[in-house]
């Protein structure tokens, strides 16, 4: 078995929830609806809060990710909605404890 760092650095194991949260946060920033600090530290905090709130969607198969089953696609879409819901809440939470 590979050492842990290499095991997870192989890019074979992907948590698609990370991709979903990143994309949803980027879309929200693009819409400029909410004012909040967008420094890296605050964005990292926001993403961590959301990732701790919503389920992971791990995949170890690029084929599954490229040609997702209906079930996989449905879960992806469900997580997109959850992320869109949780990101503004996380922003509110982060605002109250600014690190800088
Ligand atoms: Zn900040």
């Amino acid at each position: 078995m590979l050492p842990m760092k290499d095991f997870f650095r192989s890019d074979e194991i992907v948590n698609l929830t990370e991709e979903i949260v990143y994309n949803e946060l980027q879309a929200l920033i693009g819409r400029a609806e909410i004012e909040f600090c967008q420094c890296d530290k605050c964005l990292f905090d926001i993403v961590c809060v959301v990732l701790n709130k919503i389920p992971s969607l791990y995949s170890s198969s690029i084929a599954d990710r490229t040609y997702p089953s209906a079930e996989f696609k449905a879960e992806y879409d469900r997580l997109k909605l959850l992320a869109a819901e949780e990101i503004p809440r996380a922003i509110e939470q982060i605002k109250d404890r600014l690190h800088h």
Side-chain angles (χ1 to χ4, degrees):
M1 190 173 185
L2 287 168
M4 191 166 78
K5 269 190 167 177
D6 301 325
F7 192 92
F8 287 107
R9 207 180 274 166
S10 64
D11 283 339
E12 294 292 327
I13 298 176
V14 177
N15 178 5
L16 289 165
T17 303
E18 292 179 359
E19 170 184 301
I20 291 167
V21 171
Y22 181 90
N23 288 340
E24 290 301 315
L25 180 58
Q26 199 176 43
L28 182 136
I29 290 170
R31 290 195 301 272
E33 287 165 351
I34 310 175
E35 233 176 88
F36 63 102
C37 177
Q38 294 170 16
C39 77
D40 285 342
K41 179 77 186 115
C42 287
L43 295 183
F44 293 154
D45 280 355
I46 291 162
V47 166
C48 281
V49 169
V50 177
L51 286 173
N52 282 332
K53 281 254 170 70
I54 69 178
S56 318
L57 181 61
Y58 279 101
S59 161
S60 64
S61 161
I62 189 145
D64 286 354
R65 296 198 290 276
T66 312
Y67 309 104
S69 65
E71 195 186 336
F72 197 86
K73 179 87 175 63
E75 181 62 4
Y76 193 95
D77 291 342
R78 187 180 79 91
L79 289 171
K80 268 177 80 165
L81 294 176
L82 276 178
E85 232 173 72
E86 290 298 335
I87 290 169
R89 284 186 197 149
I91 291 170
E92 280 309 309
Q93 204 176 315
I94 296 305
K95 268 184 183 171
D96 296 339
R97 52 175 174 92
L98 281 180
H99 295 283
H100 49 79

